[in-house]
């Protein structure tokens, strides 16, 4: 059966990393274009304000030198007074403020306090633009003295400079909120699918399982068949099917965790598998510092995890090799279960996707085994599972992290 999860559209949907990078690149391009366009507007407005200030300074110079009152009145009314946006401070040649315009920080101040505040404003203005020199002359063009015009960007220009960054920040904030909401809804949808699939599977298994149980009881009642090995093996498989049905029933509900001996639990699963996999695969279980290592688990679900990983390992080794399970009691109330195989390994480019739905190296199958394993360990046991190490053509080690019986 072909893998139904290998649809190209689903691959794009599933590959959140590639989708995330695509969105990031597009966002950067849009943001960059916005910043460039706004900066172009800022530069144009800045040039315009500089021309206005030059005109303003020349007007002050002309007004201070011109004896024709009509011309002075025109300059004052049409050029100097209309400047109601660009902050300006005019000083004498010693740097003492003479007058100011559009400087909100000095509103309501007078005397020495106003002069002191204007001097502070002049320091800030000097860091932005060099002052403009005004030469004062009399009617005979004789130099009477000098003034300086200090200025800075208007409030509109300043706001415009920061606008694209504020805009991008708001967009980014909405993007983050949308991303979180999308992930939450996606996770909720996956939960519903998992629960529905599990419950339906448990329901479908019920009818044939009941029939098989009846047949085994019939065989046991037959004097010729009751002691046959095949009847005993059928009885074991039925018990296994009952456990599988119990596993599916536990999906979607809150499983009860019991303190179990992890070494014994793993050994029980391995003993069952040993007679049902290739005889060329060697299974070994060890524990350190001893076999009395306990942790809180739901045994049917935990057995399912061990079984799935081991079956995947057998497929990776193509029926020939060894699987080693090491159980370690770690610090901080943790128990490690390392499952190592001698299979073909996993390439580094695939490590991040091994637990995603649809990931499989087989031509047949759905690729849901490791996804289910991750869900059982992380959602139901509050633990962790990850690829501890993997090397091509040498093997892979999965690590399961559980809490020991004293951990909360």
């Amino acid at each position: 059966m072909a893998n139904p999860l290998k649809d190209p559209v689903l691959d794009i949907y599933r590959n959140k990393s590639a989708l995330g990078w695509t969105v990031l690149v597009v966002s950067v391009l849009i943001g960059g274009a916005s910043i460039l366009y706004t900066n172009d507007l800022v530069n144009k407005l800045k040039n315009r304000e500089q021309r206005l200030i030059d005109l303003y300074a020349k007007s002050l110079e002309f007004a201070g030198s011109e004896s024709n009152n009509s011309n002075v009145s025109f300059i004052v009314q049409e050029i100097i007074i209309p400047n109601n946006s660009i902050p300006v401070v005019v000083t004498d040649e010693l740097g003492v403020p003479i007058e100011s315009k559009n400087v909100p920080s000095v509103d309501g101040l007078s005397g020495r306090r106003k002069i002191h505040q204007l001097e502070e404003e002049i320091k800030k203005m000097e860091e932005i633009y060099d002052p403009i020199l005004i030469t004062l002359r009399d009617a005979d063009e004789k130099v009477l003295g000098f003034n300086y015009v200090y200025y800075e960007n208007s409030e509109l220009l300043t706001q415009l400079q920061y606008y694209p960054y504020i805009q991008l920040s708001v967009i980014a904030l909405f993007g983050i909120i949308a991303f979180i909401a999308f992930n939450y809804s996606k996770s909720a949808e996956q939960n519903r699918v998992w629960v529905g699939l599990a419950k339906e599977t448990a329901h479908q298994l019920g009818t044939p399982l009941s029939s098989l149980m009846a047949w085994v009881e019939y065989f046991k009642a037959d004097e010729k068949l009751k002691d046959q090995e095949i009847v005993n093996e059928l009885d074991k498989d039925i018990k296994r099917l009952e456990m599988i049905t119990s596993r599916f029933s536990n999906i979607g509900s809150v499983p009860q965790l019991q303190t179990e001996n992890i070494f014994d639990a793993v050994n029980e699963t391995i003993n069952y598998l040993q007679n049902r996999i290739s005889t060329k695969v060697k299974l070994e279980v060890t524990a350190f510092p001893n076999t009395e290592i306990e942790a809180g688990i739901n045994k049917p679900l935990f057995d399912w995890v061990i079984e799935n990983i081991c079956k995947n390992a057998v497929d990776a080794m193509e029926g020939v090799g060894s699987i080693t399970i090491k159980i370690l009691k770690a610090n901080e109330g943790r128990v490690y279960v390392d499952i190592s195989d001698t299979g073909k390994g996993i390439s580094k480019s695939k490590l991040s996707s091994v637990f995603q739905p649809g990931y499989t190296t087989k031509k047949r199958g759905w690729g849901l085994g490791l996804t289910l394993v991750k869900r059982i360990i992380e959602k139901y046991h509050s633990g962790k599972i990850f690829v501890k190490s993997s090397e091509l053509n040498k093997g892979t080690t999965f690590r399961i992290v559980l809490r020991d019986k004293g951990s909360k």
Side-chain angles (χ1 to χ4, degrees), residues 159-180:
Q159 291 176 347
L160 191 59
Q161 285 178 316
Y162 291 107
Y163 171 75
Y165 303 101
I166 297 174
Q167 180 188 40
L168 293 178
S169 299
V170 172
I171 293 174
L173 179 61
F174 276 104
I176 292 172
I177 294 174
F179 180 77
I180 293 173

Side-chain angles (χ1 to χ4, degrees), residues 21-39:
W21 279 109
T22 301
V23 172
L24 178 61
V25 170
V26 172
S27 300
V28 169
L29 291 176
I30 294 174
S34 176
I35 291 174
L36 288 175
Y37 178 71
T38 306
N39 283 340

Side-chain angles (χ1 to χ4, degrees), residues 1-244:
M1 180 181 66
N3 186 350
L5 298 180
K6 288 297 184 181
D7 185 272
V9 176
L10 292 180
D11 282 340
I12 295 174
Y13 178 71
R14 187 169 55 249
N15 194 345
K16 293 189 292 185
S17 177
L19 182 61
W21 279 109
T22 301
V23 172
L24 178 61
V25 170
V26 172
S27 300
V28 169
L29 291 176
I30 294 174
S34 176
I35 291 174
L36 288 175
Y37 178 71
T38 306
N39 283 340
D40 182 59
L41 292 179
V42 167
N43 289 331
K44 290 178 179 178
L45 183 57
K46 185 183 293 186
N47 291 333
R48 178 176 176 273
E49 288 191 354
Q50 286 178 340
R51 289 196 299 269
L52 288 175
I53 286 296
D54 287 337
L55 179 60
Y56 182 85
K58 290 178 180 178
S59 300
L60 289 176
E61 184 178 75
F62 182 78
S65 304
E66 178 61 48
S67 59
N68 190 324
N69 291 333
S70 62
N71 289 339
V72 170
S73 177
F74 173 81
I75 291 170
V76 171
Q77 294 296 326
E78 300 298 328
I79 299 178
I80 298 178
I81 292 178
N83 174 29
N84 55 9
S85 61
I86 305 173
V88 175
V89 178
V90 181
T91 71
D92 61 18
E93 54 191 65
L94 298 178
V96 178
I98 300 173
E99 61 177 294
S100 64
K101 193 173 181 62
N102 307 317
V103 183
S105 62
V106 300
D107 291 346
L109 299 181
S110 60
R112 185 58 194 168
R113 290 181 60 193
K114 181 175 182 179
I115 293 176
H116 177 72
Q117 184 61 41
L118 287 174
E119 288 173 345
E120 294 298 320
E121 293 292 335
I122 288 171
K123 291 178 182 179
K124 292 190 294 183
M125 292 177 177
E126 278 184 310
E127 295 178 359
I128 302 175
Y129 298 112
D130 292 330
I132 300 174
L133 176 65
I134 298 176
T135 303
L136 303 177
R137 306 174 188 275
D138 60 14
D140 298 326
E141 295 297 317
K142 182 180 178 179
V143 176
L144 300 176
F146 302 95
N147 285 166
Y148 293 94
V149 176
Y150 294 87
Y151 67 102
E152 62 183 357
N153 296 328
S154 66
E155 185 178 356
L156 175 61
L157 180 57
T158 302
Q159 291 176 347
L160 191 59
Q161 285 178 316
Y162 291 107
Y163 171 75
Y165 303 101
I166 297 174
Q167 180 188 40
L168 293 178
S169 299
V170 172
I171 293 174
L173 179 61
F174 276 104
I176 292 172
I177 294 174
F179 180 77
I180 293 173
F182 170 77
N183 274 355
Y184 178 80
S185 63
K186 180 183 175 184
S187 177
E189 181 182 358
Q190 288 177 340
N191 287 339
R192 290 193 294 270
V193 172
W194 276 111
V195 172
L197 177 63
K199 298 296 184 185
E200 180 63 20
T201 302
H203 176 72
Q204 293 295 334
L205 284 173
T207 301
L209 183 57
S210 298
S211 178
L212 285 172
M213 292 172 67
W215 277 108
V216 168
E217 291 300 319
Y218 174 80
F219 292 149
K220 287 180 178 180
D222 191 314
E223 293 294 331
K224 296 180 180 179
L225 297 176
K226 66 178 182 178
D227 295 326
Q228 294 291 324
E229 181 67 22
I230 188 172
V231 176
N232 292 330
E233 289 301 317
L234 280 173
D235 194 39
K236 290 181 182 178
D237 284 336
I238 286 174
K239 287 183 171 57
R240 195 68 182 179
L241 284 171
E242 287 179 326
M243 178 180 289
I244 291 172

Side-chain angles (χ1 to χ4, degrees), residues 305-319 323 341 343-344 354-355 359-362 367-371 373 398:
V305 169
I306 302 299
E307 183 179 327
N308 263 327
I309 296 178
C310 288
K311 285 182 176 179
N312 279 351
V314 171
D315 291 334
M317 296 184 297
E318 297 180 349
I323 299 173
D341 63 57
K344 52 190 174 184
V354 294
F355 294 106
Y359 175 83
T360 179
T361 58
K362 297 178 289 186
L368 294 176
L370 289 179
T371 305
V373 162
F398 285 88

